[in-house]
Amino acid sequence: MKRPGRTVAEIVTVLIALVVAFPLYWMVLSALKPASEVLSTSPRPWTFAPSLESFTKVLTVENFGRYFLNSVVVALVVVTVALLCSFLAATALTRFRFKGRTTLLVMLLVAQLVPVEALTVPLFFLMRQVGDVAPAFGLNHLGSLMLVHLAFGLPFAIWMLRGFVAAVPVELEEAATLDGASRFRFTWQVLFPLVAPGLVATSVLSFIHAWNDFLFAKTFIISAEENQTLPLAILTFFKPDQNDWGAIMAGSTLMTIPVLIFFIFVQRRLVSGLAGAVKG
Amino acid sequence: MTAAAPPPGAAGKPARRKGKRDGRAAIGYLLPTLLVLGGLLGYPIYQLVLISLFDYGQEQASGGAALEFLGLGNYQTLLGDPQFWQVLLQTVLFAGFCVVATLLVGAALALLATRVRAVPRMILFLAAIGAWSTPAVAGSTVWLFLFDTDFGLVNEILTGVGLDGFASYSWTYDKYVAFGLVSAQVVWCSFPFVMVTLYAGIKAIPGEVLEAAALDGASTVRTMTSVILPLLRPLLIIVTIQSIIWDFKIFTQIYVMTGGGGVAGQNLVLNVYAYQKAFAASEYGLGSAIGVVMTVLLLGVIVLYLRALRRSGEEL
């Protein structure tokens, strides 16, 4: 009696999966269709003439490569710095006993709840001021985006890494110190490699956070078109008279691929990381 | 700071000395983080409240005019504006709907995933990971394209099955239809997080617990409500809070899919409204006041949710 029920459940599961995956299929398919076929009033769910027309167009004609590179640079810098900062902070908050530790932890939790989008106005003025001192980190420059994404990624990154740092047995630290290793050496030579899975999961989240940002790029990069990032570049293909859907889908595909690769690689770790963050 | 720690088991004075050294080391380890968070989160929050108390427009921003202290003037303007109340109501309903729908879909599919064999489950998870990893802008554009008036597949299919009313039907013209479309996209890209997290949670429940329930003759529903749900409680709290945080401050989907807030601003939510006020109308003071309202509202919702949980006897 149990078998038929399970078969029905499995058919339903696969059907749901197809519906969920369909928008992605449509995105890639439309990116691969020739322009004439994309703008057809009776679209077909396949194509007889796959072409790289749309990809070539966004990558060459519209300077899309530059925007892609901008997004990559911002995301990589944010990930690297966020990892270093959050690893040190998580270590201190998990393994050291000091005054104000609990207060700091609570503040980090609250910081995650602050709707960062609400801070757009003060951050805009702050970046303008920063630009007077260090132009590379001011308005219209990628540095401003890096700073903002770093600040907003850190609280969650620290909170998530804490679980991983806490999971390293205290005995290991005691053994290391008995062997004469300084706290600094222990941190980098023992702890750092051991929490690598946590670092991977954290880096993915920081990466996605920076990669997906639309609001701050829109607000901070006002007049320097060459410093725009991917999300805004895609929107330039929305035209009042006729949207260039082929180009929009090609751009969206290019934007999705790096995240998809990242996700497939670390999927398991991400889940254990989320669960670890919950437990910690 | 490089001195070896006291051997384990040594109590009293050495431990206190370790505490002091811990403090100094902690400052070093935490310094970069504290600088970043203080400068880019703490200070802007203070500034947000401050700016919201001033008449801060284009002239003030460019230094052409002196700042005028309004006190709660911006808030009065805001609370006296019927559009604000309309947007507030829309935000709460839209976000609330997205949260509930995301949780229901995610939980249902997590349960379904525990009932099927590995291959269908893997197919479902792969599809979910695809939706999960699609950036908000990319997800918004493809949904928009699917529902496009002239070139969209959905209208084509609907007219194909005889629903002629959908020829050249605009999914973003009517306020509720547009909100519905955006919600569908939001649920599509956020249910995977709920599904995967809850699935991991269900899998982590020891088999003996479920066996014991079965031996005691518990029904499926009883096992669900009395065994699985209480064990999943901490995870449910996390996914609910995350969903509330995400859905209350949606910007990209609304901005991209409804073209900046819909026909005549009918699809505005607080976040987009604040952006439009501040940067399109150059009313930075007013925009900041909306930001303050948004923050207070979001924190309020979460505090209420946590209190409700505590009242039901749940330790965090």
Side-chain angles (χ1 to χ4, degrees), chain A residues 3 6-7 9-10 12-14 16-24 26-27 30 38-45 85-93 95-99 104 108 110-129 147-148 150-152 154-156 158 173-174 177-178 180-184 187-188 208 211-215 218-219 230-232 234-235 238 242-243 245 248-249 252-253 255-256 259-260 263-264 267 270-271 274-275 278, chain B residues 1-8 18-23 25-30 32-34 36-37 39-41 43-45 47-48 51 56-57 60-63 109 112-113 115-121 123-139 141-146 148 150-153 156 188 191-193 196-197 200 234-235 238 241-242 245 249 251-252 255-256 271 274-275 278-279 283-285 287-288 290-292 294-296 298-299 302 306:
Chain A
R3 283 284 143 129
R6 189 161 77 174
T7 312
E10 286 176 346
V12 171
T13 306
V14 173
I16 292 174
L18 291 180
V19 173
V20 170
F22 191 78
L24 281 179
W26 197 249
M27 179 169 85
S30 307
V38 180
L39 296 185
S40 143
T41 45
S42 42
R44 279 193 312 249
C85 289
S86 59
F87 171 65
L88 286 176
T91 304
L93 287 169
R95 308 198 83 94
F96 301 175
R97 296 281 164 273
F98 57 93
K99 248 199 219 157
L104 259 177
L108 281 176
V110 176
Q112 286 177 55
L113 305 181
V114 173
V116 294
E117 291 81 356
L119 299 179
T120 321
V121 172
L123 282 168
F124 174 80
F125 290 119
L126 179 65
M127 291 313 166
R128 205 172 59 169
Q129 284 173 323
L147 284 179
V148 169
L150 186 62
F152 296 151
L154 271 182
F156 187 73
I158 296 170
E173 184 165 3
E174 285 164 355
T177 36
L178 276 183
S182 68
R183 167 169 279 152
F184 191 74
T187 306
W188 289 108
I208 290 170
W211 186 259
N212 288 359
D213 165 67
F214 172 66
L215 174 60
K218 186 172 172 54
T219 315
L230 269 183
L232 285 159
I234 291 174
L235 292 201
F238 281 96
Q242 179 68 75
N243 294 339
W245 284 115
I248 295 170
M249 291 301 109
S252 296
T253 304
M255 190 181 177
T256 306
V259 191
L260 199 61
F263 246 92
I264 288 173
Q267 185 242 121
L270 194 63
V271 174
L274 291 169
V278 173
Chain B
M1 235 178 289
T2 51
K18 181 175 188 291
K20 220 173 231 169
R21 255 184 284 124
D22 264 6
I27 292 174
Y29 277 40
L30 285 165
T33 300
L34 291 179
V36 171
L37 292 185
L40 292 157
L41 210 56
Y43 179 67
I45 291 175
Q47 283 278 310
L48 178 78
I51 296 174
Y56 208 120
Q60 286 80 9
S62 59
L109 292 183
L112 183 63
R115 296 292 168 99
V116 299
R117 275 170 294 190
V119 174
R121 184 168 62 234
I123 296 174
L124 177 65
F125 274 47
L126 276 178
I129 283 174
W132 193 359
S133 50
T134 307
V137 166
T141 61
V142 69
W143 274 73
L144 212 47
F145 184 43
L146 278 167
D148 187 64
D150 301 315
F151 309 113
L153 182 69
E156 171 73 10
W188 176 73
F191 89 84
F193 164 72
V196 171
T197 312
L235 275 183
I238 297 288
I241 291 183
Q242 285 295 350
I245 294 174
K249 50 182 204 180
F251 180 86
T252 310
Y255 197 92
V256 173
N271 210 348
Y275 178 86
F279 295 100
E283 298 201 52
Y284 300 104
S288 297
I290 302 170
V292 172
M294 216 169 98
T295 310
V296 171
L298 191 54
L299 291 177
I302 286 162
L306 290 177

Side-chain angles (χ1 to χ4, degrees), chain B residues 84 87-88 91 268-275 290 293-294 297:
Chain B
F84 166 75
V87 172
L88 180 65
T91 309
L268 285 173
V269 289
L270 276 181
N271 210 348
V272 185
Y273 185 57
Y275 178 86
I290 302 170
V293 171
M294 216 169 98
L297 196 74

Side-chain angles (χ1 to χ4, degrees), chain B residues 55 75 105 136 172 214:
Chain B
D55 178 17
Y75 295 92
V105 171
T172 50

Side-chain angles (χ1 to χ4, degrees), chain A residues 2 11 22-23 27 45-46 60 70 72 78 104 119 146-147 160 180 184 186 193 203 227 234 250 257:
Chain A
K2 225 180 156 194
I11 293 171
F22 191 78
M27 179 169 85
W46 61 82
T60 55
N70 286 345
V72 170
V78 169
L104 259 177
L119 299 179
M146 294 174 190
L147 284 179
M160 190 159 160
F184 191 74
F186 170 77
S203 67
N227 282 340
I234 291 174
I257 288 172

